[in-house]
Amino acid sequence: MPKLVLNEISYTAFGKVILENLKFTLDEKSIGIIGRNGSGKSTLAKILCGLIEPSKGELEVHTNKITGNHPSLNIGIVFQNPDHQIIFGTVEDEIGFGLKNLGYSKSEIKKRTDETLQKFNKSSWIGLSTATLSQGQRQLLCIMSVFAMDPAIIILDEVFSGLDLPTKKALDIYIKDLPQMVIHITHDLPSLQSCERIIWLDNGKMFLDGPPKSVLPEYSKHMHKHLSL
């Protein structure tokens, strides 16, 4: 199992502290990250996948492909809005884009694209225009595109946002079946019940860390106690 080690990581933007002295190791297969809006969850996700550098501290990345302090392409991320990620007009071109950047040949790209669609039972999507997909289908396409690149770790940042309940449940089944280590950032607490570990961030700091059965009930009680804008 891959491992991420956060060594006193902090992040400051425009004079505001977003994350402060985070020090822990992530090495479980399924990890949920929760917290109110503005608690630093998305900033942490961007640091973990290398999109931004911490202001202080160091991230250690240990996978079967790399050991160092930069995630490179071995950590994939899927964001909240698929429209911010999808850039191609067809399903196969969207999945193939990341593979092309990794240096795969045309024949290898086609093979891995076909295998990815088969894995998710979506072989019928070959040739489909991305514009014809529903919001949930577009989100699944983003997940498939990351999966096809075979990263050691997949980070999901609020991928359930704006989806109806049946679509959430269907997408959740695909997520739970992913073989990679998955770090799931979400407000959808039921989807985190099967995680091995939950990390609760509050004002950029670690507030609580433990199994779902201990962290999620405490988080729910806290949220109901502080119902305010």
Side-chain angles (χ1 to χ4, degrees), residues 4 17 20 22 52 60-61 67 71 77 103 153 165 184 189 196:
L4 299 174
V17 177
E20 186 174 359
L22 295 181
I52 59 176
E60 294 179 25
V61 181
T67 296
I77 187 168
I153 302 168
L165 185 58
H184 194 181
L189 301 188
E196 296 175 49

Side-chain angles (χ1 to χ4, degrees), residues 3-41:
K3 179 170 66 174
L4 299 174
V5 182
L6 288 77
N7 294 315
E8 298 184 350
I9 281 181
S10 297
Y11 186 81
T12 303
F14 304 105
K16 182 181 178 182
V17 177
I18 310 298
L19 297 173
E20 186 174 359
N21 295 326
L22 295 181
K23 186 176 182 179
F24 51 82
T25 297
L26 303 174
D27 56 6
E28 294 82 4
K29 185 180 183 301
S30 56
I31 301 166
I33 299 181
I34 57 176
R36 296 187 66 169
N37 291 335
S39 61
K41 303 185 303 297

Side-chain angles (χ1 to χ4, degrees), residues 125-227:
W125 284 16
I126 283 285
L128 282 185
S129 165
T130 54
T132 66
L133 302 178
S134 69
Q135 188 77 354
Q137 290 172 331
R138 290 165 73 80
Q139 197 64 280
L140 178 58
L141 175 58
C142 291
I143 293 174
M144 288 194 291
S145 298
V146 169
F147 173 84
M149 294 187 287
D150 195 28
I153 302 168
I154 294 179
I155 300 173
L156 306 173
D157 189 5
E158 297 290 1
V159 296
F160 291 155
S161 180
L163 302 180
D164 58 32
L165 185 58
T167 305
K168 283 181 185 178
K169 288 186 175 181
L171 197 57
D172 192 37
I173 291 172
Y174 287 112
I175 291 170
K176 285 181 170 57
D177 194 38
L178 291 172
Q180 289 95 339
M181 173 180 175
V182 175
I183 300 173
H184 194 181
I185 299 169
T186 183
H187 291 292
D188 189 73
L189 301 188
S191 67
L192 301 178
Q193 294 286 351
S194 61
C195 286
E196 296 175 49
R197 178 181 180 187
I198 304 294
I199 293 173
W200 175 1
L201 293 183
D202 188 69
N203 290 320
K205 299 178 181 179
M206 169 83 78
F207 190 81
L208 199 59
D209 181 5
K213 63 181 180 181
S214 62
V215 178
L216 295 181
E218 287 300 316
Y219 181 75
S220 295
K221 284 193 292 184
H222 183 83
M223 290 301 103
H224 282 94
K225 193 181 293 183
H226 298 84
L227 292 174

